[in-house]
């Protein structure tokens, strides 16, 4: 069966609220509180940029998403051609046409980058790539940038690794305008840093401009790192612990992934929503958690025929309790 196509809906275009109707349109700089789904949950997916970066916006709209993630260029090369100026303009036009708030768009960093690398050449290249990616974000009108903190490769301590990561972030913050760097929690696989919330906090503590720091919590990574989201109140417990150890003000996004591995397995293996060891009840808790209002909730699941992103977004919205 072919994936069902959503009918294209007209989004209300920006109207600077002359009638003082603050319910419908936020003042500039304020995050949109209600979306086309009529709720405060912004569910979307990581979309491709093949054929032009602006196409990401239409892909998101076509799958019924209200937020999205994207890469900013090829995942294979350290040095990329400069961002094409007309492509960047088209991207901004598409975003404003479909009334996307930049707070609901979460670019994902290159997988080549390791800002915690003990190898001097890799660290230098990673630091340069971070600067390049943040500049691309500002050219695209984006305000958040999500990346994996880094890996010690087992040859330096976690503490030394977090110092390197903070050095790269401080350098990038100096070189680029006000984009917020968003650290992602990791699964604890191998020698990656960021599986424990305390490691994310250790990085943030070493950054000079903490107003430009954020965190994206990946549900698969958290579960694999040992947070049992399937336990009664597991989602709330994880957020409470995050609040105590890091601070909820830093929470800028969620990656919504089920997990192929069991709790505490430390494996970074994403599964489709409801098909892994996390399961539907935990995702129902997430979709109904008020502390996750107005931030992007992004799918990075494999997808399978008949259960692609569009169907998974639909499923997640169906878990939202409208009576609340
Ligand atoms: Zn990631
Ligand atoms: Mn992720
Ligand atoms: Mn992952």
């Amino acid at each position: 069966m072919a994936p069902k196509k959503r009918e294209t809906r007209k989004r209300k275009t920006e109207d600077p609220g002359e009638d003082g109707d603050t319910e419908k349109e936020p003042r500039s700089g304020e995050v949109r509180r209600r979306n086309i789904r009529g709720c405060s949950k912004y569910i979307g997916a990581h979309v491709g940029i093949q054929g032009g970066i602006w196409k990401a916006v239409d892909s998101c709209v076509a799958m019924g998403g209200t937020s999205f993630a994207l890469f900013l260029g090829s995942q294979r090369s350290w040095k990329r051609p400069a961002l094409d100026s007309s492509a960047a303009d088209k991207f901004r036009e598409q975003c404003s046409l479909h009334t996307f708030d930049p707070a609901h768009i979460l670019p994902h960093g290159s997988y080549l980058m390791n800002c915690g690398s003990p190898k001097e050449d890799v660290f230098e290249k990673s630091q340069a790539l971070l600067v390049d990616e943040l500049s691309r974000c500002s050219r695209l009108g984006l305000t958040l940038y999500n990346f994996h903190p880094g890996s010690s490769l087992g040859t330096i301590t976690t503490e030394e690794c977090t110092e390197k990561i903070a050095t790269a972030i401080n350098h990038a913050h100096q070189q680029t305008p006000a984009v917020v760097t968003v650290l992602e929690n990791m699964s604890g696989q191998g020698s990656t840093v960021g599986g424990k919330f305390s490691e994310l906090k250790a990085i943030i503590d070493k950054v000079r401009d903490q107003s430009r720091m954020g965190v994206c919590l990946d549900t698969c990574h958290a579960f694999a790192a040992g947070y049992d989201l399937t336990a009664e109140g597991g989602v709330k417990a994880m957020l409470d612990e995050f609040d105590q150890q890091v601070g909820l003000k830093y929470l800028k996004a969620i990656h919504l992934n089920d997990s192929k591995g069991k709790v505490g397995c430390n494996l970074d293996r994403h599964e489709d929503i409801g098909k892994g060891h996390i399961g539907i009840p935990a995702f129902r808790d997430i979709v109904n958690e008020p502390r996750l209002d107005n931030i992007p909730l992004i799918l990075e699941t494999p997808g399978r025929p008949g259960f692609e992103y569009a169907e998974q977004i639909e499923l997640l919205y169906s878990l939202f309790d409208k009576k609340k």
Side-chain angles (χ1 to χ4, degrees), residues 162-193:
T162 58
E163 264 165 36
K164 281 176 177 290
I165 295 162
T167 301
I169 294 172
N170 280 325
H171 172 78
H173 282 176
Q174 268 184 333
Q175 306 288 312
T176 58
V179 177
V180 173
T181 40
V182 178
L183 302 168
E184 182 167 344
N185 69 310
M186 293 285 100
S187 63
Q189 185 166 302
S191 43
T192 54
V193 161

Side-chain angles (χ1 to χ4, degrees), residues 198-235:
S198 57
E199 293 169 0
L200 301 173
K201 177 67 159 86
I203 298 166
I204 294 172
D205 281 343
K206 296 179 184 77
V207 171
R208 280 190 293 274
D209 187 354
Q210 291 169 357
S211 71
R212 292 182 62 182
M213 289 306 291
V215 172
C216 167
L217 287 181
D218 183 307
T219 54
C220 167
H221 299 175
F223 186 73
Y227 293 97
D228 190 1
L229 304 176
T230 64
E232 179 81 36
V235 168

Side-chain angles (χ1 to χ4, degrees), residues 9-13 36 60-61 64-66 97-100:
R9 294 146 305 180
K10 271 215 174 110
R11 280 163 193 267
K12 208 171 168 295
T13 44
I36 191 160
C60 171
V61 173
T66 54
L97 180 69
H98 294 287
T99 66
F100 276 101

